[in-house]
Amino acid sequence: MIDLREAVTRAHHEEWARVVAALTRRFGDLDIAEEAAAEAFTTAVERWPADGVPPNPGAWLTTTANRRAIDRIRRENKRDDKHREAQMAYHDDPPEPVGAIDDDRLRLIFTCCHPALAMEARVALTLRMVGGLTVPEIARAFLVAESAMGQRITRAKAKIKAARIPYRVPSAEDLPARVSSVLAVLFLVFNEGYLATGPGTDPLRHDLTAEAIRLTRLIRTLLPDDGEVAGLLALMLLTEARRTARVSAAGELVPLDEQDRGAWDTALIAEGHRLVRERLAAAVAGVAPGSYQILAAINAVHTSARDMRDTDWSQILALYDQLVRLDPSPIIALNRAIAVAELDGPQVALAAVDRLEHRLAGYHPYHATRADLLRRLGRSQQSRAAYDKAIELAGNTAETAYLTRRRDQLR
Amino acid sequence: MQYLVSVIDDKSNPGSTDRQPAISAFNERLIAEGYWVFAGGLADTAAATVIDNRGEQAVFSDGPFVESKEYLAGVWVWEAPDLDAALKLAAEASKVCDRKIEVRPFL
């Protein structure tokens, strides 16, 4: 029984996107593809225990889903004769060559992450159509009511159909912008798992970080030459490697300088470092790195150090300087200031942080960073006020617990 | 596939008024490349009249956009193979008109 459940789970992970993608191309309709794929997996759960797992689960699922889709179209055609001609045109398409399968999954990903869709719709649609998560699972992940999440996905599919968002891989000239739209979706899913925003959920959501990594690996397989895809995957792996060390037994977030580095996942770190080295070689050859590659390099420096003092802060600051030139966002400037504090002391860093006030007043890490710098400068009263503000704005339970302890330790 | 392409202006921050030659040139290109179906600029929102004859007698009033900050300044109808093609043209149209552009598919 356990083997069977494993077989279904594995088939779901490996084949869901393939089945949905192939059906979407054949029938030109995300709705039909999604429903038929879901039915095929339900049928597998019912039939495989008695019939055994088929030798090629992917082919079995695709065939079953195809039949379900055709059944549905026939049912609908009885209701709507005019529709039939349009749908029959798809049936007459010759079967695509086998090599096109990977392109199908890419088509699916680019369609779900199309820039004409709102960011939250892209996230939901990608997790459903590419990731194969159920609507209730996605709703839980983002603390949204199931009906609202269902509607979000339905509306996005309707927009794709009504506005005719194309089902294809973008042309070479559009590719970088469109890949970055896909990566932004995956990074958002990862970050929600890395530091969940809501107080009503676990502080770290391994299900979300794992899903984001799985999908990024898939895109890496499909676009092996894209440096930013490699960069984002490395960034995720090097972050995920520290997961178990990031929350204490008491449920408190553990900052980098207090983490037990022996608890870091060495296999993930090794894989992340390999990717960073690969991108460094490309940079040496003259390919300018994008933001994810630089962020990955910063994390590679952290994960190469035995402890906080051993960290090569001048290297980290140089990388942040490079990042600021690409992305002048105040959040990058804030993180850069943390490196400045290690090199030039908290006074210099505080001056840099204070300059960001008008842009980051509602962002809790701004107040948490100020609180820490003020504490190191012995300005307890101001530090306490900054901790209060950070606690008020932070939603993550483990982070709130950490900030509260730090505040209460002030003298 | 046809798209209604609306030019949106903003009363508090209007686009520049010297765009007509550039728009004409852009229209020529739309025609030459087969996208052009229809185009027209609109008079000021103050010139609009709304008629509501759902009740017992027709009631006349000003248009709903007289008070609003953003309003429709003109429209195109384009024939394009898909949204990507329409959006690419719309990005150019926004530069050419110096205004925001909404792309909306016909049913």
Side-chain angles (χ1 to χ4, degrees):
Chain A
M1 239 1 231
I2 286 180
D3 282 352
L4 185 84
R5 206 179 309 145
E6 265 180 27
V8 173
T9 307
R10 193 176 326 119
H12 195 265
H13 265 169
E14 288 171 4
E15 307 295 347
W16 170 270
R18 249 190 262 269
V19 175
V20 173
L23 264 68
T24 304
R25 179 169 43 72
R26 177 158 179 205
F27 298 104
D29 189 311
L30 284 171
D31 232 1
I32 290 175
E34 177 197 354
E35 192 184 278
E39 282 179 21
F41 278 94
T42 308
T43 310
V45 173
E46 288 163 7
R47 295 257 293 273
W48 291 4
D51 302 355
V53 178
N56 184 345
W60 187 95
L61 287 161
T62 306
T63 308
T64 307
N66 260 314
R67 282 199 200 114
R68 294 303 164 105
I70 290 167
D71 286 348
R72 173 174 158 180
I73 289 163
R74 290 215 172 107
R75 274 199 311 274
E76 288 178 356
N77 282 347
K78 279 186 191 148
R79 289 200 302 266
D80 184 356
D81 267 351
K82 216 180 88 188
H83 216 145
R84 175 162 37 203
E85 285 166 51
Q87 297 288 8
M88 292 317 266
Y90 286 113
H91 291 189
D92 294 340
D93 282 351
E96 294 280 318
V98 175
I101 286 174
D102 283 348
D103 289 352
D104 273 346
R105 283 184 298 176
L106 262 189
R107 282 189 190 101
L108 183 65
I109 290 165
F110 281 114
T111 303
C112 291
C113 296
H114 196 279
L117 300 171
M119 193 59 178
E120 50 182 30
R122 285 184 228 170
V123 168
L125 203 58
T126 303
L127 290 175
R128 174 74 193 122
M129 306 302 288
V130 187
L133 272 64
T134 63
V135 172
E137 280 170 339
I138 303 167
R140 261 202 310 283
F142 292 95
L143 307 172
V144 171
E146 239 177 85
S147 56
M149 186 54 85
Q151 231 169 37
R152 190 181 291 177
I153 293 173
T154 304
R155 272 202 214 107
K157 284 187 296 194
K159 178 167 183 176
I160 289 170
K161 199 171 180 176
R164 199 177 287 187
I165 289 178
Y167 191 60
R168 67 159 173 258
V169 176
S171 64
E173 64 166 303
D174 295 336
L175 201 60
R178 295 289 304 276
V179 169
S180 97
S181 172
V182 171
L183 298 184
V185 168
L186 298 177
F187 198 35
L188 194 147
V189 173
F190 184 85
N191 278 331
E192 185 54 31
Y194 170 72
L195 196 68
T197 44
T201 176
D202 286 343
L204 308 188
R205 305 281 311 278
H206 177 55
D207 50 344
L208 288 179
T209 53
E211 185 61 24
I213 289 173
R214 193 172 74 80
L215 292 177
T216 309
R217 281 191 199 281
L218 170 63
I219 292 168
R220 162 109 176 126
T221 316
L222 299 173
L223 296 171
D225 299 328
D226 190 293
E228 280 295 83
V229 175
L232 179 61
L233 180 57
L235 174 59
M236 287 179 178
L237 294 172
L238 294 174
T239 310
E240 182 72 356
R242 309 196 292 258
R243 179 167 57 90
T244 49
R246 279 185 58 234
V247 174
S248 70
E252 225 178 69
L253 205 66
V254 184
L256 192 57
D257 58 327
E258 293 173 20
Q259 284 175 22
D260 170 15
R261 297 188 178 214
W264 289 357
D265 186 322
T266 50
L268 290 181
I269 290 175
E271 190 186 353
H273 284 186
R274 257 198 316 280
L275 287 164
V276 170
R277 278 197 300 274
E278 178 192 310
R279 296 318 308 161
L280 278 176
V284 169
V287 185
S291 301
Y292 292 123
Q293 292 166 73
I294 299 172
L295 282 168
I298 289 169
N299 278 274
V301 178
H302 281 304
T303 44
S304 302
R306 273 166 300 151
D307 57 44
M308 193 77 166
R309 279 181 306 280
D310 182 49
T311 304
D312 185 349
W313 288 101
S314 58
Q315 176 74 17
I316 286 182
L317 189 61
L319 288 163
Y320 271 117
D321 286 340
Q322 205 179 341
L323 194 55
V324 167
R325 282 196 290 276
L326 279 183
D327 178 0
S329 96
I331 293 173
I332 304 280
L334 178 70
N335 288 321
R336 181 184 176 278
I338 295 170
V340 169
E342 298 304 319
L343 281 171
D344 302 330
Q347 188 72 56
V348 181
L350 184 64
V353 169
D354 281 342
R355 280 196 293 273
L356 303 169
E357 188 192 355
H358 61 292
R359 298 173 70 189
L360 292 181
Y363 183 63
H364 79 266
Y366 163 77
H367 298 283
T369 306
R370 274 195 86 232
D372 186 57
L373 294 171
L374 289 163
R375 177 188 63 78
R376 284 156 73 176
L377 289 165
R379 291 157 65 175
S380 299
Q381 213 174 344
Q382 288 167 293
S383 173
R384 186 185 308 277
Y387 275 121
D388 284 341
K389 190 76 193 159
I391 291 163
E392 185 194 320
L393 293 169
N396 186 280
T397 50
E399 193 170 20
T400 308
Y402 163 73
L403 292 168
T404 306
R405 178 173 64 82
R406 268 295 162 94
R407 180 194 62 192
D408 295 346
Q409 280 172 344
L410 285 171
R411 263 170 284 168
Chain B
M1 183 82 183
Q2 291 195 337
Y3 296 89
L4 176 70
V5 180
S6 305
V7 181
I8 302 162
D9 208 348
D10 186 330
K11 287 172 192 164
S12 59
N13 182 25
S16 46
T17 52
D18 60 348
R19 311 309 299 164
Q20 201 47 55
I23 293 170
S24 296
F26 183 63
N27 276 331
E28 292 301 324
R29 228 194 75 207
L30 289 175
I31 292 166
E33 291 174 10
Y35 298 113
W36 198 90
V37 177
F38 174 84
L42 293 172
D44 195 89
T45 53
T49 308
V50 172
I51 301 167
D52 186 350
N53 197 20
R54 291 172 299 177
E56 293 191 352
Q57 58 182 18
V59 177
F60 296 87
S61 62
D62 286 342
F65 303 114
V66 171
E67 300 298 330
S68 68
K69 205 162 82 72
E70 290 188 316
Y71 69 100
L72 191 63
V75 296
W76 271 287
V77 177
W78 292 343
E79 177 70 48
D82 57 43
L83 187 67
D84 280 358
L87 290 179
K88 195 163 267 183
L89 292 170
E92 287 182 54
S94 174
K95 279 259 189 303
V96 167
C97 297
D98 190 29
R99 280 159 182 86
K100 291 199 286 188
I101 303 286
E102 184 198 64
V103 177
R104 199 165 159 191
F106 280 91
L107 277 176

